[in-house]
Amino acid sequence: MKLTLKIWRQKNAQAKGKLVTYQLDDISPDMSFLEMLDVLNQKLIIEGDDPVAFDNDCREGICGMCSLYIGGRAHGHETETTVCQLHMRSFDDGQTVTIEPWRAKALPVIKDLVVDRGAFDRIIQAGGFVSTKTGAPQDANALPIPKQDADKAMDAAACIGCGACVASCKNASAMLFVSAKISQLALLPQGQPERDKRALAMVHQMDMEGFGNCTNEGECEAECPKAIKMTNIARLFREYYRATFTYEEQ
Amino acid sequence: MTVLDSKVPGGPLEKKWDQHKFDLKLVNPANKRKFSVIVVGTGLAGASAAASMAELGYNVLNFCFQDSPRRAHSIAAQGGINAAKNYPNDGDSIYRLFYDTVKGGDFRAREANVYRLAQVSNNIIDQCVAQGVPFAREYGGMLDNRSFGGAQVSRTFYARGQTGQQLLLGAYSALSRQVGEGNVKMYERREMLELAVINGKARGIVCRNLVSGDVESYTADAVVLATGGYGNVFYLSTNAMNSNVTAAWRAHKQGAFFANPCFTQIHPTCIPVSGDHQSKLTLMSESLRNDGRVWVPKKKGDTRPPEQIPESERYYYLEEKYPSFGNLVPRDVASRNGKIVCDEGLGVGSGQSVYLDFADAINRLGEDVVRARYGNLFDMYHHITDENPYKMPMKIFPAIHYTMGGLWVDYNLMSTIPGLFVLGEANFSDHGANRLGASALMQGLADGYFVLPYTIGGYFAGTELEDVDNNHSVLKDLENQSTEKTNKLLTINGKRTVDDIHRELGKLLWEDCGMARNEAGLKDAKEKIPKIREEFWQNVKVPGEAGEFNQELEKAGRVADFLEFGELMVTDALDRKESCGGHFREESQTEEGEALRDDENYAYAAAWEFQGVDKESTLHKEPLTFEHVKLTQRSYK
Ligand SMILES: Cc1cc2nc3c(=O)[nH]c(=O)nc-3n(C[C@H](O)[C@H](O)[C@H](O)COP(=O)(O)OP(=O)(O)OC[C@H]3O[C@@H](n4cnc5c(N)ncnc54)[C@H](O)[C@@H]3O)c2cc1C
Ligand code: SF4
Ligand code: FES
């Protein structure tokens, strides 16, 4: 396969970036998208150019590290797929492919296609946990949890924290990510004692980080590689409003 | 050679850990604030240790090279985590889990450690549930279990096919809480490059800030490495791309002994290599062997599509050789037999794969049942290979998956450097020569939640620690060394990329120190590795600069360490002239071609002491004694 790549190159956070065009000839349809970028980088290195920086680690769709905006879509054109699970056979011979980083004020570019997602960690630090200590909690089966609740919590917990929801949203809202964690814990009995505090603290941190608001556009759900549903955002709103009425910080 | 002291406490097996916890000196709660601990790694072992120690009151500094602690390689584990809860009432117990693990490890693990692991396994499940980990449940609301890796009881807890993810996110949430409260200072995108040993104790680390390129030093009263396994020395493995041996290797060069480096685990059911561009391998859950039948054509060079090969011309080699276990033989046996048939020229596809066929299962159970059992695995396979496993057999081949070897630690998880503790896959402790499925997650969390937080207190309470800051000359010297090494890498400006040389090393190790090993091959590898190392230092090309985000430079440093470590692996494999678990020495097999242990001469853990690059390492032995599990030869016929 032959490809024309237009890749965002930006030396560092301060530098101005631009799209640079590259040609690749010998691409096998069996390669993954990231292996295609490996091939490009090997070529650039030998030719004395700077290889393209991009985040990746597991290459199995679970670590949430890979984060490319391909042809105007977060994680490319396939549904429920991360970049590292894309294969070249789903592209056409001779196609031109544009590759950009996530773009959002709260996720600034570090270099080329690599962004800083520290904001996500800080939102979790604000309240995305159950305050239990390592030690001697009760026997695991002392707390029966209906299967359907556990399954729903698991659906939400499947979020890999990649940031595609933010990248695909015209408001750069992190609502889908935040709602996934809030839902998981709101659906489980373990999450109840801190339910109000959690919703307020996480939403507050999300606002502080500079993420936009949700206006029900739905791109996040469409692009989420783990099929996190917008019903979680509805639950986030319920949790949040409930908390604003009932919760009083001591 | 010295004999190593494992510090296993006396007394009956069942009482050792409780008694030891009681005997360990305590640090008074108000004093805990005065102690600081560096934890390198945020996988199951590192995150659980950092969170638990911070809860106790220690000041924790936690490091990882990913952009977030939540992305450590543990996230990728699929199958599940073992515990001896006996919820299904099928006869499981702490003793049985202990017994299975010692036996599964082919009698090369320390009994006392394994028993403790089995003991705390139950606390792990309680702990994770308390954190909100959404384990699979039955309709009655109770936790669901499944059997795994050939165990005769159902003791595996799971969260869909994402158990590692959910356990790690649980530990990450506990860690995040401590970061938010200011008890843990988190350093992401940092790569530890050196361990600082000051007056004989581990007191700090030197890191590269992967964003700015700055060389940074950190000091503390103890250092914990939870930096994962070294499977990527083979270039292709199921590990995440960035997993590496650097932290452990650098500690080894400062005096920490490295134990059993040749014990590596090869997983039988992975998607085969599709070409030279291949960057990593993907694991397909072992559970597939419950219903899939493994075969190759009987005739060499038979290129007919599988459906045209009649039953009588198929070689179901596992079923024929192991009538009682059939396709369910343990990982090492299944892997090795796959290699044997491919070496005989019977492999399919590229020649380096065998069929895993579901046609019988689909006929017997119907496609729907098969879909319900394995749907997502079939989809994953289809996605990667573009072949439909409902219509034609899967092609599979073994791949490097896990490393049982690691830094040597005593019962307290302390290495041979005082104040350096090692947890999770990075240590050598509990799995002997072969790890059972669903036991790595258990061990990582046992070490981090339930062992280290106690034993580190014993170390602090019994040790004099002088004040050290990061202007100490030891740190300054290490910083200079790091900077020099980086500059050297950047100025070689040769003709080959880091990946290219890494691939050469990996291929050599896979051929000579992979699924089957023999003296001639190992000697050959031992001669070749220093040459590849020399080639690297003469002819590698690392672009860019030191003071910037530079992923090639990161890789170059890791591969430089793999090139030294690989040689030790081969040295260890040469020393161990017996076969055991994942280590199959062709010279040591039974008449039927099965692994033959030599307990008289090799019932020890081999702990290697570094003497210098290009110098022979020194072997120290920790003799292993088995008081509870009788030494027997495994048989799956
Ligand atoms: C595909 C796959 C599936 C698996 N499935 C299962 C399963 O079902 N059940 C099971 O029990 N086991 C399974 N395993 C094994 C298990 O996942 C691992 O053994 C285990 O997760 C290792 O955990 P860890 O905490 O020791 O290390 P890791 O999770 O590998 O974490 C290492 C950490 O160290 C950090 N680090 C490393 N070096 C440095 C450095 N130099 N500087 C700074 N930071 C550093 C990394 O950033 C990371 O945070 C599986 C493994 C694979 C590959
Ligand atoms: S909600 Fe989906 S898109 Fe957003 S971070 Fe989670 S997995 Fe990624
Ligand atoms: S690299 Fe891990 S999700 Fe893509």
Side-chain angles (χ1 to χ4, degrees):
Chain A
M1 283 173 79
K2 280 192 192 350
L3 283 179
T4 303
L5 301 171
K6 294 191 164 172
I7 303 181
W8 185 260
R9 302 303 309 262
Q10 178 174 341
K11 197 158 171 46
N12 52 45
Q14 293 75 40
K16 262 183 81 176
K18 62 168 194 287
L19 284 171
V20 178
T21 306
Y22 301 93
Q23 302 291 341
L24 277 183
D25 294 338
D26 259 343
I27 296 303
S28 145
D30 287 335
M31 282 181 190
S32 74
F33 193 84
L34 296 184
E35 284 167 351
M36 181 274 292
L37 286 180
D38 292 342
V39 170
L40 171 69
N41 277 345
Q42 296 295 300
K43 190 170 140 212
L44 291 177
I45 295 166
I46 291 301
E47 289 167 357
D49 286 331
D50 203 18
V52 180
F54 61 94
D55 265 332
N56 71 100
D57 202 15
C58 74
R59 296 202 177 185
E60 292 189 2
I62 192 74
C63 73
M65 196 101 181
C66 63
S67 41
L68 303 180
Y69 206 68
I70 302 168
R73 295 187 61 182
H75 289 302
H77 57 281
E78 290 193 359
T79 50
E80 290 184 35
T81 304
T82 56
V83 177
C84 59
Q85 295 172 301
L86 270 182
H87 280 78
M88 295 317 294
R89 66 178 81 92
S90 69
F91 292 83
D92 298 325
D93 194 10
Q95 195 176 333
T96 299
V97 182
T98 309
I99 311 172
E100 293 171 87
W102 288 171
R103 296 205 189 274
K105 194 174 84 197
L107 308 178
V109 172
I110 291 175
K111 180 176 181 179
D112 296 340
L113 304 170
V114 176
V115 299
D116 180 351
R117 284 172 288 198
F120 274 16
D121 285 327
R122 291 188 291 274
I123 293 173
I124 299 293
Q125 285 155 19
F129 47 75
V130 172
S131 297
T132 173
K133 270 194 185 182
T134 305
Q138 61 183 350
D139 183 83
N141 259 353
L143 185 70
I145 299 174
K147 183 172 170 13
Q148 57 273 30
D149 292 354
D151 284 348
K152 268 200 221 154
M154 180 61 216
D155 290 341
C159 164
I160 58 174
C162 63
C165 44
V166 178
S168 58
C169 173
K170 73 178 176 50
N171 305 323
S173 167
M175 216 61 112
L176 196 63
F177 166 78
V178 178
S179 69
K181 186 49 73 181
I182 288 186
S183 284
Q184 178 201 341
L185 297 177
L187 284 159
L188 294 172
Q190 300 94 312
Q192 298 314 307
E194 294 167 292
R195 192 171 157 187
D196 296 338
K197 189 171 165 209
R198 176 179 308 115
L200 294 174
M202 289 181 75
V203 169
H204 175 69
Q205 188 64 35
M206 175 180 85
D207 292 341
M208 299 270 290
E209 297 288 350
F211 290 106
N213 252 315
C214 176
T215 49
N216 269 312
E217 307 292 323
E219 290 103 336
C220 57
E221 180 181 289
E223 301 293 29
C224 172
K226 296 295 145 183
I228 305 294
K229 294 279 169 270
M230 281 180 69
T231 44
N232 289 304
I233 298 186
R235 189 176 290 105
L236 179 151
F237 281 125
R238 283 201 303 278
E239 292 292 312
Y240 182 74
Y241 289 126
R242 198 188 95 114
T244 49
F245 290 124
T246 57
Y247 184 72
E248 279 172 45
E249 187 82 61
Q250 300 301 313
Chain B
M1 194 191 81
T2 46
V3 170
L4 288 161
D5 179 5
S6 59
K7 306 236 171 66
V8 171
L13 187 65
E14 310 77 46
K15 299 246 162 67
K16 283 181 196 292
W17 178 231
D18 280 342
Q19 185 64 40
H20 187 61
K21 276 194 288 186
F22 180 76
D23 292 340
L24 282 169
K25 288 195 207 116
L26 295 176
V27 180
N28 127 13
N31 278 341
K32 290 208 175 94
R33 271 278 145 256
K34 297 184 191 146
F35 290 99
S36 56
V37 188
I38 286 172
V39 179
V40 188
T42 60
L44 289 181
S48 59
S52 304
M53 287 191 296
E55 287 165 8
L56 287 172
Y58 296 114
N59 282 304
V60 178
L61 295 81
N62 195 189
F63 297 80
C64 69
F65 57 65
Q66 290 91 350
D67 70 327
S68 162
R70 67 180 287 154
R71 306 199 202 284
H73 168 58
S74 294
I75 200 104
Q78 306 166 350
I81 178 168
N82 287 334
K85 284 281 192 189
N86 193 31
Y87 286 154
N89 194 24
D90 54 2
D92 202 8
S93 64
I94 289 169
Y95 197 84
R96 186 178 294 280
L97 176 55
F98 154 75
Y99 185 93
D100 288 353
T101 307
V102 171
K103 185 169 171 221
D106 218 359
F107 304 94
R108 291 296 173 261
R110 206 185 271 153
E111 278 192 341
N113 281 58
V114 177
Y115 193 84
R116 173 177 66 189
L117 174 66
Q119 270 179 309
V120 302
S121 67
N122 292 341
N123 305 61
I124 296 172
I125 303 304
D126 300 341
Q127 178 65 26
C128 295
V129 166
Q131 290 167 343
V133 169
F135 282 120
R137 287 183 184 262
E138 299 166 346
Y139 284 99
M142 299 295 161
L143 292 162
D144 191 23
N145 288 114
R146 63 179 171 204
S147 66
F148 204 79
Q152 287 157 305
V153 292
S154 290
R155 60 160 75 102
T156 305
F157 294 77
Y158 65 101
R160 297 213 179 125
Q162 292 123 277
T163 315
Q165 180 199 27
Q166 293 310 315
L167 295 173
L168 184 62
L169 292 181
Y172 162 77
S173 72
L175 174 63
S176 296
R177 174 169 162 244
Q178 295 304 318
V179 176
E181 290 180 7
N183 305 325
V184 175
K185 180 97 186 67
M186 189 66 227
Y187 298 90
E188 302 92 354
R189 293 208 199 259
R190 298 295 198 295
E191 179 130 307
M192 168 188 160
L193 298 179
E194 297 288 352
L195 173 76
V197 181
I198 297 176
N199 292 333
K201 300 188 191 85
R203 294 302 302 271
I205 59 171
V206 173
C207 293
R208 182 165 180 272
N209 178 323
L210 301 182
V211 176
S212 67
D214 293 341
V215 174
E216 305 168 340
S217 284
Y218 299 89
T219 55
D221 297 304
V223 177
V224 178
L225 299 187
T227 46
Y230 51 81
N232 277 348
V233 67
F234 291 90
Y235 188 73
L236 289 180
S237 83
T238 62
N239 287 9
M241 296 297 290
N242 299 304
S243 300
N244 68 81
V245 79
T246 290
W249 188 249
R250 297 276 131 191
H252 175 61
K253 290 177 95 167
Q254 296 291 338
F257 293 0
F258 210 111
N260 303 335
C262 80
F263 287 172
T264 50
Q265 181 165 76
I266 294 173
H267 198 289
T269 49
C270 299
I271 299 180
V273 175
S274 76
D276 283 342
H277 57 266
Q278 188 99 24
S279 58
K280 73 158 293 196
L281 296 170
T282 304
L283 177 101
M284 303 288 294
S285 170
E286 178 155 54
S287 60
L288 289 170
R289 288 195 283 142
N290 285 324
D291 287 304
R293 298 180 70 194
V294 178
W295 65 276
V296 289
K298 278 190 177 154
K299 232 182 18 223
K300 251 190 219 176
D302 190 339
T303 51
R304 285 175 293 175
E307 67 278 8
Q308 288 176 21
I309 301 180
E311 205 54 31
S312 61
E313 293 176 44
R314 298 176 175 193
Y315 179 24
Y316 293 93
Y317 55 91
L318 291 179
E319 296 172 23
E320 286 184 27
K321 283 171 119 173
Y322 307 96
S324 56
F325 275 72
N327 294 297
L328 289 174
V329 292
R331 288 179 177 176
D332 50 339
V333 179
S335 295
R336 206 164 49 243
N337 280 283
K339 176 179 155 58
I340 292 172
V341 293
C342 290
D343 287 351
E344 285 169 356
L346 301 175
V348 298
S350 65
Q352 292 296 307
S353 44
V354 301
Y355 289 129
L356 179 62
D357 198 336
F358 291 86
D360 278 0
I362 291 173
N363 281 338
R364 183 165 38 95
L365 305 162
E367 195 170 311
D368 286 349
V369 175
V370 171
R371 191 181 307 274
R373 282 188 195 165
Y374 308 111
N376 51 2
L377 293 168
F378 277 42
D379 289 348
M380 182 167 96
Y381 181 86
H382 194 159
H383 206 100
I384 294 178
T385 62
D386 205 23
E387 288 180 358
N388 180 353
Y390 293 102
K391 300 272 172 274
M392 60 197 294
M394 289 184 177
K395 292 193 201 76
I396 54 159
F397 200 65
I400 296 287
H401 175 58
Y402 181 85
T403 54
M404 283 76 68
L407 291 178
W408 185 89
V409 289
D410 64 16
Y411 189 72
N412 295 314
L413 302 183
M414 190 157 89
S415 70
T416 50
I417 300 177
L420 178 71
F421 294 81
V422 190
L423 319 183
E425 194 173 336
N427 73 23
F428 89 114
S429 66
D430 299 350
H431 307 292
N434 176 51
R435 175 177 69 78
L436 293 179
S439 287
L441 303 182
M442 169 173 74
Q443 182 226 331
L445 290 179
D447 289 358
Y449 282 135
F450 296 109
V451 180
L452 180 80
Y454 295 103
T455 59
I456 204 167
Y459 172 73
F460 288 142
T463 312
E464 289 280 333
L465 291 158
E466 69 271 32
D467 286 341
V468 170
D469 66 26
N470 45 12
N471 290 317
H472 196 283
S473 63
V474 167
L475 283 156
K476 288 292 147 205
D477 288 350
L478 290 171
E479 285 177 13
N480 291 337
Q481 275 176 35
S482 286
T483 308
E484 261 170 47
K485 184 174 163 192
T486 299
N487 290 340
K488 173 92 205 287
L489 286 169
L490 289 169
T491 49
I492 298 168
N493 205 11
K495 296 204 162 49
R496 293 179 67 185
T497 62
V498 176
D499 281 0
D500 184 22
I501 297 176
H502 190 180
R503 205 179 279 123
E504 184 183 345
L505 172 72
K507 238 185 174 147
L508 177 70
L509 288 173
W510 177 245
E511 295 295 330
D512 287 341
C513 196
M515 270 185 282
R517 302 146 179 202
N518 61 50
E519 178 149 342
L522 290 166
K523 284 193 166 148
D524 173 61
K526 202 163 160 158
E527 228 171 83
K528 283 183 180 151
I529 294 171
K531 291 188 186 133
I532 306 178
R533 195 159 63 222
E534 201 182 309
E535 164 80 356
F536 177 88
W537 285 104
Q538 300 292 329
N539 199 23
V540 76
K541 184 165 180 134
V542 185
E545 292 154 34
E548 63 173 356
F549 188 87
N550 186 339
Q551 292 170 314
E552 280 297 307
L553 179 61
E554 294 168 28
K555 272 200 261 177
R558 294 169 191 160
V559 172
D561 289 332
F562 279 141
L563 284 164
E564 294 177 8
F565 169 74
E567 195 179 341
L568 183 66
M569 221 168 100
V570 170
T571 304
D572 186 43
L574 263 173
D575 169 69
R576 196 172 282 279
K577 295 193 174 62
E578 64 162 353
S579 296
C580 59
H583 172 65
F584 187 77
R585 278 289 299 258
E586 287 168 358
E587 299 91 335
S588 179
Q589 44 181 308
T590 62
E591 271 169 27
E592 294 101 17
E594 300 305 326
L596 182 66
R597 268 195 345 260
D598 175 357
D599 295 323
E600 204 165 309
N601 295 303
Y602 294 98
Y604 60 77
W608 296 91
E609 181 182 5
F610 185 75
Q611 300 293 357
V613 182
D614 297 322
K615 293 214 179 89
E616 276 298 307
S617 304
T618 315
L619 173 64
H620 301 266
K621 295 179 183 174
E622 180 196 336
L624 298 169
T625 47
F626 296 89
E627 291 168 18
H628 298 270
V629 187
K630 208 166 125 255
L631 285 154
T632 48
Q633 200 69 39
R634 300 189 305 168
S635 167
Y636 299 96
K637 289 275 166 189

